[in-house]
Amino acid sequence: MDTRTSPHRARIAKTQEALARLGLVALLVPSSDPHLSEYLPERWQGRQWLSGFSGSMGTLVVARDKAALFADSRYWVQAEAELAGSGIELVKIPSGTATHHVDWLAREAKAGDTVAVDGDVLGLAAAQQLRAALERVGATLRTDLDVLAEVWPDRPALPAAPVYEHRAPMAPLARAAKLAQLREAMAKHGATHHLISTVDDVAWALNLRGSDVTYNPVFLAHLLIAPGGATLFVGGGKIDATLQATLARDGVTLLPYAEAGVALAALPADAKLLLDPKRVTLGLRERAKATVVEAINPSTLLKSRKSEAEAAHIREAMRQDGAAMCEFYAWFEAALGRERITELTIDEQLSAARAKRPGFVGLSFSTIAGFNANGAMPHYRATPESHAVIEGDGLLLIDSGGQYLGGTTDITRVWPIGTVSEAQKRDYTLVLKGTMALSRARFPRGTLSPMLDTLARAPLWEQNLDYGHGTGHGVGYFLNVHEGPQSISKLVPDATMAMEPGMITSIEPGLYRPGQWGIRIENLVLNVPAGSNEFGEFLAFETLTLCPIDTRCIERSLLRADEIDWLNGYHALVRERLEPLLAGAARDWLLERTAAI
């Protein structure tokens, strides 16, 4: 085997040698860490290190004589390019929640074979499904090995960034009050103890933030809540003496990060431990000897419902974010054709505009600036080695967001460059119709969020068109840009996805023509009461995002009068909210782009 053409081919070969030495038939490498995070610290980016695929979601399986990467349609073009020369097969799956890798492993494994996965990074529900599939063919699952430790010589250490406090007024509810809410929920489940491992839940519960994970202001830790106190398992030196004393006043003590499993094993015999099977790893679950009560983390439900005070801060964050967008786009349109602008330039300039706004902490995800064919890759990211110059004719898609002390933003807009074709205008308008249709929806409180998905797709489906990703994801409050439990998507709904007041969700239908162009128009919306009657309580969406939607790409004949009224009303609101923050060219740009049609 010629391993010189790809370092990833060499790494796969080294892993296959380790499999043979350890008596394993295959290794599963999920995109995961001990907290089941979406964005991973470098130490747990083993899938990317082995394969070269840098997408945020995907599963790698290495067998003794082959390797396969499982990715959904958002990443197919990217994965094909990044896997080139590695010898790894790309298996195209319908969605990020698909389990094709389980079926693949079950076909490859034979009776008596052993498949390995690091149980400390595998979700409990996923482990149960994988183990059952292997048992059906007579194979076994081994979860006590970290094979990456054998083949990754320069594996990064745990992050050491300090933890800081998210203070009032931006954190309106005190830490003690949140812990009281959680203990009340524990009591309803008959639990004496509760382990929280998901880092956004830990950060929310304790009003703490960090920078261990790129783009999300969180830190690596586990939190064990008991009747009379709570223990935070966190890396040494990450919390200074002052903050440690503050936590102690609220009954929170510190122990080393690695001791969470030990503490679970040492719980009293009569303890009843509340665990979320979707938000805890197999490794931690197997260390728990107490009686386990399985239910969704109460914090996941509580933090999804933003309070009125939080909503007020979010609206202000949206104003600041919108003002930054206006300043950037004013610069962009003035500079276009006069200086060289690339997809990388857009990222630099837009990030700089956000950085000047009050309360800005950092980006909420890696900016996506995709011109023409690059915009057809939903999770495309320009690199110094591969990016487009913004020139000629076509469509420019920009998906970006910021983290502010008072909220998290996520917005996608598409802009015309040069001359836009009739086909592009038609596609753009159909996507816009989907965005407006869902934005205008009313629905009974408790409606399962996936049920709303078809409202955004209907205008596209009428033309035999569709898109491969979900329509909307929940958004945190100065936390993860992707937050559950609600998800407007084709996912199989469950009771935890019920729409409740205070939830913030994205609305982002799209349309992608590979090799040509991509379109996605995204706003964030807040669930707000919309009246009640004999049929129950109803909710509607308040659009939070404040930035013009380009009207030059619209095919007017495809819009109804009520749709034009909604768009004009939205632009009037954007103008009213943003104009006081702007001056000069940015103000002029806002006034021009929010003119009624």
Side-chain angles (χ1 to χ4, degrees), residues 300-342:
T300 299
L301 296 171
L302 289 167
K303 71 180 172 60
S304 71
R305 298 187 58 183
K306 282 64 177 177
S307 66
E308 285 296 329
E310 289 172 330
H313 291 306
I314 291 164
R315 293 185 187 102
E316 179 58 26
M318 293 291 179
R319 288 184 73 229
Q320 298 298 335
D321 203 61
M325 300 284 285
C326 291
E327 290 174 350
F328 162 76
Y329 284 119
W331 166 84
F332 174 77
E333 291 191 8
L336 191 63
R338 298 182 181 179
E339 57 185 275
R340 188 175 187 271
I341 300 177
T342 72

mmCIF file of all heavy atoms in Angstrom, residues 300-342:
data_model
loop_
_atom_site.group_PDB
_atom_site.id
_atom_site.type_symbol
_atom_site.label_atom_id
_atom_site.label_comp_id
_atom_site.label_asym_id
_atom_site.label_seq_id
_atom_site.Cartn_x
_atom_site.Cartn_y
_atom_site.Cartn_z
ATOM 1 N N THR A 300 -32.410 20.726 30.100
ATOM 2 C CA THR A 300 -32.590 20.850 28.656
ATOM 3 C C THR A 300 -33.926 21.503 28.336
ATOM 4 O O THR A 300 -34.026 22.360 27.443
ATOM 5 C CB THR A 300 -32.498 19.470 27.990
ATOM 6 O OG1 THR A 300 -31.205 18.912 28.251
ATOM 7 C CG2 THR A 300 -32.707 19.558 26.488
ATOM 8 N N LEU A 301 -34.963 21.101 29.058
ATOM 9 C CA LEU A 301 -36.280 21.692 28.853
ATOM 10 C C LEU A 301 -36.339 23.115 29.404
ATOM 11 O O LEU A 301 -36.889 24.022 28.764
ATOM 12 C CB LEU A 301 -37.351 20.829 29.518
ATOM 13 C CG LEU A 301 -37.522 19.415 28.949
ATOM 14 C CD1 LEU A 301 -38.451 18.590 29.829
ATOM 15 C CD2 LEU A 301 -38.057 19.473 27.522
ATOM 16 N N LEU A 302 -35.756 23.331 30.574
ATOM 17 C CA LEU A 302 -35.827 24.648 31.199
ATOM 18 C C LEU A 302 -35.082 25.700 30.390
ATOM 19 O O LEU A 302 -35.583 26.806 30.178
ATOM 20 C CB LEU A 302 -35.272 24.577 32.622
ATOM 21 C CG LEU A 302 -36.134 23.827 33.644
ATOM 22 C CD1 LEU A 302 -35.341 23.544 34.918
ATOM 23 C CD2 LEU A 302 -37.399 24.629 33.967
ATOM 24 N N LYS A 303 -33.882 25.381 29.926
ATOM 25 C CA LYS A 303 -33.094 26.394 29.211
ATOM 26 C C LYS A 303 -33.631 26.660 27.816
ATOM 27 O O LYS A 303 -33.322 27.694 27.218
ATOM 28 C CB LYS A 303 -31.617 26.014 29.159
ATOM 29 C CG LYS A 303 -31.243 24.866 28.263
ATOM 30 C CD LYS A 303 -29.734 24.615 28.338
ATOM 31 C CE LYS A 303 -29.307 23.352 27.623
ATOM 32 N NZ LYS A 303 -29.608 23.327 26.193
ATOM 33 N N SER A 304 -34.446 25.740 27.281
ATOM 34 C CA SER A 304 -35.006 25.974 25.955
ATOM 35 C C SER A 304 -36.078 27.056 25.980
ATOM 36 O O SER A 304 -36.372 27.668 24.952
ATOM 37 C CB SER A 304 -35.597 24.682 25.387
ATOM 38 O OG SER A 304 -36.786 24.308 26.064
ATOM 39 N N ARG A 305 -36.666 27.301 27.149
ATOM 40 C CA ARG A 305 -37.732 28.298 27.284
ATOM 41 C C ARG A 305 -37.154 29.578 27.889
ATOM 42 O O ARG A 305 -36.981 29.693 29.097
ATOM 43 C CB ARG A 305 -38.874 27.756 28.137
ATOM 44 C CG ARG A 305 -39.553 26.536 27.542
ATOM 45 C CD ARG A 305 -40.777 26.145 28.331
ATOM 46 N NE ARG A 305 -41.736 27.260 28.399
ATOM 47 C CZ ARG A 305 -42.880 27.228 29.080
ATOM 48 N NH1 ARG A 305 -43.196 26.136 29.759
ATOM 49 N NH2 ARG A 305 -43.691 28.262 29.091
ATOM 50 N N LYS A 306 -36.845 30.520 27.024
ATOM 51 C CA LYS A 306 -36.239 31.768 27.481
ATOM 52 C C LYS A 306 -37.267 32.622 28.216
ATOM 53 O O LYS A 306 -38.427 32.717 27.805
ATOM 54 C CB LYS A 306 -35.664 32.547 26.303
ATOM 55 C CG LYS A 306 -34.313 32.020 25.795
ATOM 56 C CD LYS A 306 -34.387 30.629 25.226
ATOM 57 C CE LYS A 306 -33.070 30.137 24.663
ATOM 58 N NZ LYS A 306 -33.157 28.749 24.191
ATOM 59 N N SER A 307 -36.820 33.242 29.291
ATOM 60 C CA SER A 307 -37.692 34.110 30.066
ATOM 61 C C SER A 307 -37.901 35.432 29.328
ATOM 62 O O SER A 307 -37.216 35.750 28.359
ATOM 63 C CB SER A 307 -37.074 34.378 31.441
ATOM 64 O OG SER A 307 -35.880 35.143 31.294
ATOM 65 N N GLU A 308 -38.858 36.228 29.832
ATOM 66 C CA GLU A 308 -39.088 37.548 29.231
ATOM 67 C C GLU A 308 -37.841 38.415 29.332
ATOM 68 O O GLU A 308 -37.523 39.172 28.413
ATOM 69 C CB GLU A 308 -40.274 38.228 29.921
ATOM 70 C CG GLU A 308 -41.621 37.670 29.522
ATOM 71 C CD GLU A 308 -41.926 37.888 28.041
ATOM 72 O OE1 GLU A 308 -41.466 38.899 27.468
ATOM 73 O OE2 GLU A 308 -42.609 37.043 27.434
ATOM 74 N N ALA A 309 -37.137 38.308 30.467
ATOM 75 C CA ALA A 309 -35.910 39.096 30.625
ATOM 76 C C ALA A 309 -34.856 38.662 29.618
ATOM 77 O O ALA A 309 -34.164 39.499 29.009
ATOM 78 C CB ALA A 309 -35.380 38.952 32.054
ATOM 79 N N GLU A 310 -34.709 37.352 29.432
ATOM 80 C CA GLU A 310 -33.746 36.862 28.439
ATOM 81 C C GLU A 310 -34.157 37.275 27.033
ATOM 82 O O GLU A 310 -33.312 37.670 26.222
ATOM 83 C CB GLU A 310 -33.636 35.342 28.542
ATOM 84 C CG GLU A 310 -32.921 34.865 29.793
ATOM 85 C CD GLU A 310 -32.992 33.361 29.983
ATOM 86 O OE1 GLU A 310 -33.997 32.748 29.539
ATOM 87 O OE2 GLU A 310 -32.063 32.794 30.594
ATOM 88 N N ALA A 311 -35.443 37.207 26.734
ATOM 89 C CA ALA A 311 -35.918 37.600 25.409
ATOM 90 C C ALA A 311 -35.595 39.064 25.126
ATOM 91 O O ALA A 311 -35.235 39.427 23.994
ATOM 92 C CB ALA A 311 -37.415 37.346 25.283
ATOM 93 N N ALA A 312 -35.697 39.908 26.141
ATOM 94 C CA ALA A 312 -35.366 41.323 25.950
ATOM 95 C C ALA A 312 -33.887 41.495 25.606
ATOM 96 O O ALA A 312 -33.528 42.295 24.724
ATOM 97 C CB ALA A 312 -35.719 42.112 27.215
ATOM 98 N N HIS A 313 -33.021 40.759 26.287
ATOM 99 C CA HIS A 313 -31.593 40.839 25.972
ATOM 100 C C HIS A 313 -31.311 40.290 24.572
ATOM 101 O O HIS A 313 -30.448 40.817 23.852
ATOM 102 C CB HIS A 313 -30.790 40.052 27.011
ATOM 103 C CG HIS A 313 -30.787 40.675 28.375
ATOM 104 N ND1 HIS A 313 -30.403 41.975 28.601
ATOM 105 C CD2 HIS A 313 -31.107 40.166 29.595
ATOM 106 C CE1 HIS A 313 -30.489 42.246 29.890
ATOM 107 N NE2 HIS A 313 -30.914 41.165 30.512
ATOM 108 N N ILE A 314 -32.022 39.241 24.192
ATOM 109 C CA ILE A 314 -31.821 38.659 22.866
ATOM 110 C C ILE A 314 -32.222 39.653 21.783
ATOM 111 O O ILE A 314 -31.527 39.805 20.765
ATOM 112 C CB ILE A 314 -32.622 37.349 22.734
ATOM 113 C CG1 ILE A 314 -32.014 36.270 23.630
ATOM 114 C CG2 ILE A 314 -32.659 36.863 21.279
ATOM 115 C CD1 ILE A 314 -32.910 35.083 23.871
ATOM 116 N N ARG A 315 -33.327 40.356 21.989
ATOM 117 C CA ARG A 315 -33.740 41.353 20.992
ATOM 118 C C ARG A 315 -32.668 42.422 20.819
ATOM 119 O O ARG A 315 -32.421 42.892 19.708
ATOM 120 C CB ARG A 315 -35.079 41.981 21.408
ATOM 121 C CG ARG A 315 -36.246 40.993 21.361
ATOM 122 C CD ARG A 315 -37.572 41.692 21.656
ATOM 123 N NE ARG A 315 -38.645 40.701 21.764
ATOM 124 C CZ ARG A 315 -39.156 40.265 22.906
ATOM 125 N NH1 ARG A 315 -38.703 40.746 24.068
ATOM 126 N NH2 ARG A 315 -40.132 39.370 22.906
ATOM 127 N N GLU A 316 -32.033 42.817 21.920
ATOM 128 C CA GLU A 316 -30.968 43.817 21.806
ATOM 129 C C GLU A 316 -29.747 43.235 21.100
ATOM 130 O O GLU A 316 -29.109 43.919 20.287
ATOM 131 C CB GLU A 316 -30.594 44.349 23.194
ATOM 132 C CG GLU A 316 -29.473 45.374 23.188
ATOM 133 C CD GLU A 316 -29.765 46.596 22.330
ATOM 134 O OE1 GLU A 316 -30.954 46.928 22.114
ATOM 135 O OE2 GLU A 316 -28.796 47.222 21.842
ATOM 136 N N ALA A 317 -29.421 41.978 21.398
ATOM 137 C CA ALA A 317 -28.311 41.333 20.690
ATOM 138 C C ALA A 317 -28.590 41.271 19.186
ATOM 139 O O ALA A 317 -27.694 41.461 18.361
ATOM 140 C CB ALA A 317 -28.072 39.932 21.251
ATOM 141 N N MET A 318 -29.843 41.009 18.838
ATOM 142 C CA MET A 318 -30.214 40.973 17.422
ATOM 143 C C MET A 318 -30.071 42.355 16.776
ATOM 144 O O MET A 318 -29.692 42.467 15.606
ATOM 145 C CB MET A 318 -31.655 40.477 17.273
ATOM 146 C CG MET A 318 -31.851 39.029 17.663
ATOM 147 S SD MET A 318 -31.060 37.880 16.506
ATOM 148 C CE MET A 318 -31.463 36.315 17.292
ATOM 149 N N ARG A 319 -30.368 43.404 17.513
ATOM 150 C CA ARG A 319 -30.164 44.762 16.978
ATOM 151 C C ARG A 319 -28.691 45.008 16.694
ATOM 152 O O ARG A 319 -28.324 45.517 15.624
ATOM 153 C CB ARG A 319 -30.673 45.819 17.977
ATOM 154 C CG ARG A 319 -32.171 45.908 18.113
ATOM 155 C CD ARG A 319 -32.534 47.056 19.059
ATOM 156 N NE ARG A 319 -32.317 48.353 18.450
ATOM 157 C CZ ARG A 319 -31.657 49.363 19.001
ATOM 158 N NH1 ARG A 319 -31.103 49.219 20.197
ATOM 159 N NH2 ARG A 319 -31.520 50.513 18.375
ATOM 160 N N GLN A 320 -27.844 44.648 17.657
ATOM 161 C CA GLN A 320 -26.415 44.866 17.462
ATOM 162 C C GLN A 320 -25.887 44.017 16.308
ATOM 163 O O GLN A 320 -25.075 44.476 15.501
ATOM 164 C CB GLN A 320 -25.659 44.557 18.754
ATOM 165 C CG GLN A 320 -26.027 45.434 19.929
ATOM 166 C CD GLN A 320 -25.732 46.906 19.693
ATOM 167 O OE1 GLN A 320 -24.873 47.265 18.890
ATOM 168 N NE2 GLN A 320 -26.453 47.780 20.394
ATOM 169 N N ASP A 321 -26.368 42.781 16.230
ATOM 170 C CA ASP A 321 -25.928 41.895 15.154
ATOM 171 C C ASP A 321 -26.397 42.425 13.806
ATOM 172 O O ASP A 321 -25.648 42.414 12.821
ATOM 173 C CB ASP A 321 -26.482 40.488 15.397
ATOM 174 C CG ASP A 321 -25.678 39.406 14.691
ATOM 175 O OD1 ASP A 321 -24.478 39.272 14.994
ATOM 176 O OD2 ASP A 321 -26.250 38.701 13.833
ATOM 177 N N GLY A 322 -27.651 42.893 13.755
ATOM 178 C CA GLY A 322 -28.159 43.450 12.506
ATOM 179 C C GLY A 322 -27.407 44.687 12.077
ATOM 180 O O GLY A 322 -27.151 44.893 10.878
ATOM 181 N N ALA A 323 -27.040 45.529 13.035
ATOM 182 C CA ALA A 323 -26.265 46.724 12.703
ATOM 183 C C ALA A 323 -24.910 46.347 12.123
ATOM 184 O O ALA A 323 -24.432 46.958 11.158
ATOM 185 C CB ALA A 323 -26.096 47.595 13.949
ATOM 186 N N ALA A 324 -24.288 45.324 12.701
ATOM 187 C CA ALA A 324 -23.000 44.855 12.170
ATOM 188 C C ALA A 324 -23.158 44.349 10.744
ATOM 189 O O ALA A 324 -22.305 44.608 9.871
ATOM 190 C CB ALA A 324 -22.433 43.755 13.063
ATOM 191 N N MET A 325 -24.252 43.615 10.487
ATOM 192 C CA MET A 325 -24.499 43.119 9.133
ATOM 193 C C MET A 325 -24.647 44.279 8.152
ATOM 194 O O MET A 325 -24.108 44.252 7.041
ATOM 195 C CB MET A 325 -25.758 42.249 9.124
ATOM 196 C CG MET A 325 -25.709 41.029 10.017
ATOM 197 S SD MET A 325 -24.733 39.682 9.360
ATOM 198 C CE MET A 325 -25.831 39.067 8.107
ATOM 199 N N CYS A 326 -25.389 45.314 8.539
ATOM 200 C CA CYS A 326 -25.579 46.464 7.657
ATOM 201 C C CYS A 326 -24.251 47.160 7.343
ATOM 202 O O CYS A 326 -23.990 47.555 6.197
ATOM 203 C CB CYS A 326 -26.551 47.457 8.286
ATOM 204 S SG CYS A 326 -28.254 46.877 8.374
ATOM 205 N N GLU A 327 -23.422 47.317 8.360
ATOM 206 C CA GLU A 327 -22.121 47.953 8.137
ATOM 207 C C GLU A 327 -21.272 47.118 7.194
ATOM 208 O O GLU A 327 -20.593 47.655 6.307
ATOM 209 C CB GLU A 327 -21.415 48.153 9.474
ATOM 210 C CG GLU A 327 -22.085 49.225 10.335
ATOM 211 C CD GLU A 327 -21.477 49.330 11.720
ATOM 212 O OE1 GLU A 327 -20.667 48.447 12.086
ATOM 213 O OE2 GLU A 327 -21.820 50.283 12.445
ATOM 214 N N PHE A 328 -21.320 45.795 7.375
ATOM 215 C CA PHE A 328 -20.555 44.930 6.481
ATOM 216 C C PHE A 328 -21.073 45.012 5.053
ATOM 217 O O PHE A 328 -20.298 45.181 4.105
ATOM 218 C CB PHE A 328 -20.602 43.481 6.959
ATOM 219 C CG PHE A 328 -20.212 42.510 5.885
ATOM 220 C CD1 PHE A 328 -18.874 42.342 5.534
ATOM 221 C CD2 PHE A 328 -21.179 41.805 5.183
ATOM 222 C CE1 PHE A 328 -18.514 41.479 4.508
ATOM 223 C CE2 PHE A 328 -20.829 40.935 4.166
ATOM 224 C CZ PHE A 328 -19.487 40.776 3.825
ATOM 225 N N TYR A 329 -22.391 44.875 4.878
ATOM 226 C CA TYR A 329 -22.930 44.834 3.515
ATOM 227 C C TYR A 329 -22.775 46.172 2.803
ATOM 228 O O TYR A 329 -22.611 46.219 1.581
ATOM 229 C CB TYR A 329 -24.396 44.391 3.543
ATOM 230 C CG TYR A 329 -24.548 42.908 3.774
ATOM 231 C CD1 TYR A 329 -25.232 42.422 4.884
ATOM 232 C CD2 TYR A 329 -23.985 41.985 2.891
ATOM 233 C CE1 TYR A 329 -25.355 41.053 5.099
ATOM 234 C CE2 TYR A 329 -24.100 40.625 3.105
ATOM 235 C CZ TYR A 329 -24.792 40.164 4.207
ATOM 236 O OH TYR A 329 -24.901 38.810 4.417
ATOM 237 N N ALA A 330 -22.831 47.266 3.552
ATOM 238 C CA ALA A 330 -22.571 48.567 2.937
ATOM 239 C C ALA A 330 -21.140 48.619 2.402
ATOM 240 O O ALA A 330 -20.892 49.100 1.277
ATOM 241 C CB ALA A 330 -22.812 49.678 3.954
ATOM 242 N N TRP A 331 -20.198 48.154 3.211
ATOM 243 C CA TRP A 331 -18.813 48.083 2.736
ATOM 244 C C TRP A 331 -18.697 47.160 1.528
ATOM 245 O O TRP A 331 -18.051 47.495 0.528
ATOM 246 C CB TRP A 331 -17.891 47.569 3.849
ATOM 247 C CG TRP A 331 -16.545 47.173 3.305
ATOM 248 C CD1 TRP A 331 -15.473 47.989 3.073
ATOM 249 C CD2 TRP A 331 -16.164 45.864 2.859
ATOM 250 N NE1 TRP A 331 -14.441 47.273 2.523
ATOM 251 C CE2 TRP A 331 -14.836 45.968 2.374
ATOM 252 C CE3 TRP A 331 -16.795 44.627 2.823
ATOM 253 C CZ2 TRP A 331 -14.143 44.874 1.863
ATOM 254 C CZ3 TRP A 331 -16.123 43.538 2.311
ATOM 255 C CH2 TRP A 331 -14.806 43.662 1.833
ATOM 256 N N PHE A 332 -19.331 46.001 1.620
ATOM 257 C CA PHE A 332 -19.198 44.989 0.576
ATOM 258 C C PHE A 332 -19.689 45.509 -0.768
ATOM 259 O O PHE A 332 -18.995 45.389 -1.792
ATOM 260 C CB PHE A 332 -19.986 43.746 0.977
ATOM 261 C CG PHE A 332 -20.044 42.685 -0.079
ATOM 262 C CD1 PHE A 332 -18.957 41.855 -0.308
ATOM 263 C CD2 PHE A 332 -21.181 42.526 -0.868
ATOM 264 C CE1 PHE A 332 -19.001 40.887 -1.304
ATOM 265 C CE2 PHE A 332 -21.236 41.562 -1.854
ATOM 266 C CZ PHE A 332 -20.141 40.736 -2.074
ATOM 267 N N GLU A 333 -20.867 46.105 -0.795
ATOM 268 C CA GLU A 333 -21.404 46.561 -2.070
ATOM 269 C C GLU A 333 -20.600 47.722 -2.639
ATOM 270 O O GLU A 333 -20.459 47.845 -3.860
ATOM 271 C CB GLU A 333 -22.878 46.933 -1.910
ATOM 272 C CG GLU A 333 -23.752 45.716 -1.650
ATOM 273 C CD GLU A 333 -25.233 46.013 -1.759
ATOM 274 O OE1 GLU A 333 -25.596 47.132 -2.186
ATOM 275 O OE2 GLU A 333 -26.035 45.125 -1.430
ATOM 276 N N ALA A 334 -20.044 48.563 -1.760
ATOM 277 C CA ALA A 334 -19.212 49.670 -2.247
ATOM 278 C C ALA A 334 -17.870 49.175 -2.779
ATOM 279 O O ALA A 334 -17.326 49.723 -3.753
ATOM 280 C CB ALA A 334 -18.990 50.680 -1.125
ATOM 281 N N ALA A 335 -17.339 48.118 -2.157
ATOM 282 C CA ALA A 335 -16.021 47.612 -2.541
ATOM 283 C C ALA A 335 -16.074 46.644 -3.717
ATOM 284 O O ALA A 335 -15.059 46.451 -4.410
ATOM 285 C CB ALA A 335 -15.367 46.920 -1.349
ATOM 286 N N LEU A 336 -17.222 46.039 -3.959
ATOM 287 C CA LEU A 336 -17.335 45.030 -5.007
ATOM 288 C C LEU A 336 -17.012 45.646 -6.370
ATOM 289 O O LEU A 336 -17.578 46.659 -6.766
ATOM 290 C CB LEU A 336 -18.749 44.457 -5.018
ATOM 291 C CG LEU A 336 -18.979 43.217 -5.873
ATOM 292 C CD1 LEU A 336 -18.146 42.047 -5.358
ATOM 293 C CD2 LEU A 336 -20.463 42.829 -5.865
ATOM 294 N N GLY A 337 -16.092 45.018 -7.068
ATOM 295 C CA GLY A 337 -15.662 45.518 -8.368
ATOM 296 C C GLY A 337 -14.528 46.517 -8.290
ATOM 297 O O GLY A 337 -13.890 46.812 -9.305
ATOM 298 N N ARG A 338 -14.270 47.065 -7.093
ATOM 299 C CA ARG A 338 -13.182 48.034 -6.918
ATOM 300 C C ARG A 338 -11.946 47.406 -6.294
ATOM 301 O O ARG A 338 -10.831 47.888 -6.498
ATOM 302 C CB ARG A 338 -13.650 49.197 -6.043
ATOM 303 C CG ARG A 338 -14.800 49.982 -6.628
ATOM 304 C CD ARG A 338 -15.157 51.149 -5.722
ATOM 305 N NE ARG A 338 -16.275 51.915 -6.244
ATOM 306 C CZ ARG A 338 -16.803 52.978 -5.651
ATOM 307 N NH1 ARG A 338 -16.281 53.399 -4.490
ATOM 308 N NH2 ARG A 338 -17.826 53.617 -6.185
ATOM 309 N N GLU A 339 -12.162 46.363 -5.491
ATOM 310 C CA GLU A 339 -11.037 45.660 -4.888
ATOM 311 C C GLU A 339 -11.308 44.164 -4.889
ATOM 312 O O GLU A 339 -12.452 43.734 -5.066
ATOM 313 C CB GLU A 339 -10.793 46.151 -3.464
ATOM 314 C CG GLU A 339 -11.978 46.042 -2.528
ATOM 315 C CD GLU A 339 -11.705 46.651 -1.159
ATOM 316 O OE1 GLU A 339 -11.132 45.926 -0.319
ATOM 317 O OE2 GLU A 339 -12.042 47.836 -0.948
ATOM 318 N N ARG A 340 -10.266 43.409 -4.721
ATOM 319 C CA ARG A 340 -10.402 41.958 -4.779
ATOM 320 C C ARG A 340 -11.058 41.455 -3.497
ATOM 321 O O ARG A 340 -10.538 41.636 -2.403
ATOM 322 C CB ARG A 340 -9.022 41.305 -4.967
ATOM 323 C CG ARG A 340 -9.070 39.798 -5.222
ATOM 324 C CD ARG A 340 -7.658 39.276 -5.509
ATOM 325 N NE ARG A 340 -7.672 37.871 -5.910
ATOM 326 C CZ ARG A 340 -7.593 36.848 -5.052
ATOM 327 N NH1 ARG A 340 -7.510 37.087 -3.752
ATOM 328 N NH2 ARG A 340 -7.602 35.605 -5.491
ATOM 329 N N ILE A 341 -12.203 40.816 -3.650
ATOM 330 C CA ILE A 341 -12.932 40.267 -2.508
ATOM 331 C C ILE A 341 -13.098 38.772 -2.730
ATOM 332 O O ILE A 341 -13.539 38.337 -3.792
ATOM 333 C CB ILE A 341 -14.316 40.918 -2.355
ATOM 334 C CG1 ILE A 341 -14.177 42.424 -2.153
ATOM 335 C CG2 ILE A 341 -15.071 40.300 -1.183
ATOM 336 C CD1 ILE A 341 -15.505 43.148 -2.076
ATOM 337 N N THR A 342 -12.735 38.002 -1.729
ATOM 338 C CA THR A 342 -12.890 36.548 -1.788
ATOM 339 C C THR A 342 -13.842 36.106 -0.684
ATOM 340 O O THR A 342 -14.259 36.900 0.163
ATOM 341 C CB THR A 342 -11.545 35.832 -1.601
ATOM 342 O OG1 THR A 342 -11.127 35.955 -0.222
ATOM 343 C CG2 THR A 342 -10.468 36.417 -2.501
#
